[in-house]
Amino acid sequence: MAQRDLPYQLFDADNHLYETKEALTKFLPKQYQGAVKYVEVDGRTKIAIRGQISEYIPNPTFDVVAAPGAMEDYFKNGNPEGKSKREIFGKPIRATPAFREPGPRLELMDELQIERALMFPTLASLVEERMKEDPELIHAVVHSLNEWLHETWSFNYKDRIFTVPVVSLPIVDKAIEELEWVVERGAKAILVRPAPVPGFRGPRSFALPEFDPFWKRVVELDVLVTMHSSDSGYARYASEWDGVQQEMLPFVTNTFKMVNQWQPIRDAMASWVCHGALFRFPELKIAVIENGAQWLPGLLSDLADIYKKAPEGFPSDPVEMIKKIYVSPFWEEDLIELSGLIGPDHVLFGSDYPHPEGLAEPARYIDEIKELPVADQAKIMGGNLARLLNV
């Protein structure tokens, strides 16, 4: 792997670990044992949630995974030859210790020239949607996962790996309790799903006043809120058009779902201002991770038009409030244009390593912003995130 002469250190906003089979269950209370199981189906291991087998992640053991960056060409140049997903993914590899443990990961980060990284779980993205009818189970499984993350990775490993625990919001008091638990153990950032919050009376926005005590505590603790790509439950809308009820299957081609794939994050960001939480808590630090930036210009345009027609619906300009968020775009997007839209102070470098959708060599990201002044590059490639986390 070629080493680059970097004029600044890299702080990657989007790295991933691969969980082991015990990640969701090792610390799960006895009354919830059985809610998460691994089962054998035609010789392959699958995960079953509340008795339902999920295909959301085809190989939930992660013993074998797609190679990092396997889809780089697909995302940059498309698929003119009409290859299957299996052909695009290429030959799988065995998961290495660096994907499972922080010590080996640091050695790999040195090879990749990544000085520091936010480390996100992978399997966690399926939890909330498949347990939405049981809010108490969601909180129990999320806490079990966070205990495993803390035991295995810690939330701050040698001031270089900052593992991001999940905080789910169905029961506000439990959410605050979880928030305080992870922060006491060193968490600098939390992961909140960009989706309506499940509840005993049905789903509702995280930006409604009901959740103000939680956001108030987030501000007091000065924690970064990350909204990472997840299963936001929107597959049910596409299923109504398709006429077939099925869960989100991110590795199965569905062109109708592709048309609307960024609707969840667009709605989540709109909710911050339309339901008012960002106005009530302007000190909140919010980062959108692994959702790209394609959704942003249209949202800003729509909000500007709505504000012109219905200014009484907002305390002040919603466009300026949305521009307070931080965005980690996909490397293949127009990063120069995004920097001009929201300012280089609000753009975060994220490689999605070691996922196949990301970059095999994260440092190559700098090639996409080399037209920017070096000072702005340094902000995007790590300075902004370091400031957000106070590290």
Side-chain angles (χ1 to χ4, degrees):
M1 185 178 299
Q3 294 289 295
R4 295 171 177 266
D5 183 16
L6 300 175
Y8 35 70
Q9 293 183 335
L10 306 189
F11 195 162
D12 197 330
D14 188 22
N15 265 214
H16 284 270
L17 58 89
Y18 285 123
E19 296 94 327
T20 62
K21 289 174 66 174
E22 65 180 7
L24 298 178
T25 60
K26 181 176 181 179
F27 296 98
L28 198 59
K30 288 184 178 180
Q31 66 265 37
Y32 298 110
Q33 293 293 332
V36 179
K37 289 184 176 180
Y38 287 84
V39 298
E40 297 299 314
V41 179
D42 297 329
R44 303 190 67 178
T45 302
K46 299 293 181 181
I47 191 169
I49 307 293
R50 302 177 73 230
Q52 293 292 317
I53 295 173
S54 172
E55 294 286 349
Y56 174 68
I57 296 178
N59 180 13
T61 68
F62 303 118
D63 292 335
V64 175
V65 296
M71 301 179 76
E72 278 188 37
D73 184 69
Y74 168 80
F75 282 111
K76 189 70 173 180
N77 300 310
N79 184 20
E81 298 175 5
K83 293 180 180 179
S84 67
K85 281 293 193 296
R86 184 176 293 277
E87 290 174 317
I88 292 170
F89 281 127
K91 186 177 180 179
I93 63 172
R94 301 293 300 181
T96 70
F99 298 168
R100 305 281 203 180
E101 307 166 31
R105 186 55 164 260
L106 275 190
E107 296 178 8
L108 178 58
M109 285 169 58
D110 288 339
E111 293 179 23
L112 297 172
Q113 295 183 276
I114 299 175
E115 179 63 23
R116 293 180 287 188
L118 285 184
M119 193 68 61
F120 290 91
T122 297
L123 192 61
S125 59
L126 64 72
V127 171
E128 279 193 43
E129 182 59 24
R130 284 151 192 80
M131 302 179 183
K132 59 181 181 290
E133 290 86 6
D134 193 341
E136 290 182 334
L137 175 62
I138 292 175
H139 283 286
V141 173
V142 163
H143 183 67
S144 179
L145 171 63
N146 287 340
E147 285 205 64
W148 179 86
L149 289 171
H150 182 250
E151 177 185 71
T152 307
W153 286 81
S154 87
F155 298 134
N156 180 350
Y157 187 77
K158 298 187 176 181
D159 286 329
R160 293 189 61 190
I161 296 176
F162 299 91
T163 302
V164 184
V166 179
V167 177
S168 188
L169 307 181
I171 304 171
V172 176
D173 289 345
K174 287 184 177 293
I176 294 173
E177 181 181 333
E178 192 70 26
L179 171 69
E180 293 176 342
W181 188 90
V182 299
V183 171
E184 286 171 2
R185 287 156 180 79
K188 296 285 189 178
I190 59 171
L191 171 57
V192 175
R193 187 175 70 131
V197 180
F200 293 111
R201 297 186 303 277
R204 70 278 197 216
S205 170
F206 50 77
L208 291 170
E210 171 188 349
F211 298 99
D212 282 1
F214 177 80
W215 300 122
K216 179 176 184 291
R217 193 69 182 118
V218 169
V219 170
E220 291 170 348
L221 294 172
D222 194 24
V223 179
L224 174 65
V225 178
T226 66
M227 305 203 92
H228 189 285
S229 180
S230 183
D231 182 353
S232 294
Y234 276 51
R236 63 182 176 272
Y237 302 124
S239 292
E240 290 181 358
W241 287 100
D242 290 338
V244 178
Q245 190 65 38
Q246 59 182 196
E247 67 175 341
M248 179 184 180
L249 300 173
F251 303 113
V252 175
T253 298
N254 182 313
T255 53
F256 184 79
K257 289 180 180 177
M258 291 173 72
V259 169
N260 298 288
Q261 63 184 326
W262 305 122
Q263 196 63 42
I265 194 62
R266 189 183 192 278
D267 288 350
M269 292 302 104
S271 181
W272 277 113
V273 290
C274 293
H275 295 117
L278 199 52
F279 291 107
R280 297 191 296 275
F281 300 98
E283 305 92 342
L284 276 170
K285 298 183 297 187
I286 302 166
V288 177
I289 309 293
E290 205 183 315
N291 281 279
Q294 183 180 337
W295 51 272
L296 184 57
L299 175 60
L300 294 180
S301 177
D302 286 349
L303 286 174
D305 184 61
I306 294 167
Y307 185 52
K308 179 176 68 176
K309 295 174 180 175
E312 72 279 6
F314 304 95
S316 62
D317 188 347
V319 172
E320 293 308 310
M321 294 305 290
I322 288 292
K323 286 185 176 181
K324 289 167 61 71
I325 67 172
Y326 296 80
V327 177
S328 179
F330 296 133
W331 68 275
E332 69 271 13
E333 295 179 316
D334 191 332
L335 308 185
I336 309 300
E337 181 180 352
L338 177 64
S339 181
L341 182 63
I342 61 176
D345 290 343
H346 285 257
V347 181
L348 305 176
F349 150 60
S351 71
D352 194 26
Y353 190 90
H355 285 174
E357 304 96 325
L359 286 169
E361 298 183 20
R364 194 168 66 74
Y365 196 100
I366 66 174
D367 294 343
E368 309 301 322
I369 58 171
K370 58 187 177 183
E371 295 179 20
L372 291 174
V374 173
D376 289 345
Q377 294 180 36
K379 292 176 182 178
I380 293 171
M381 298 303 293
N384 292 335
L385 186 55
R387 171 172 49 84
L388 285 171
L389 299 186
N390 300 312
V391 296

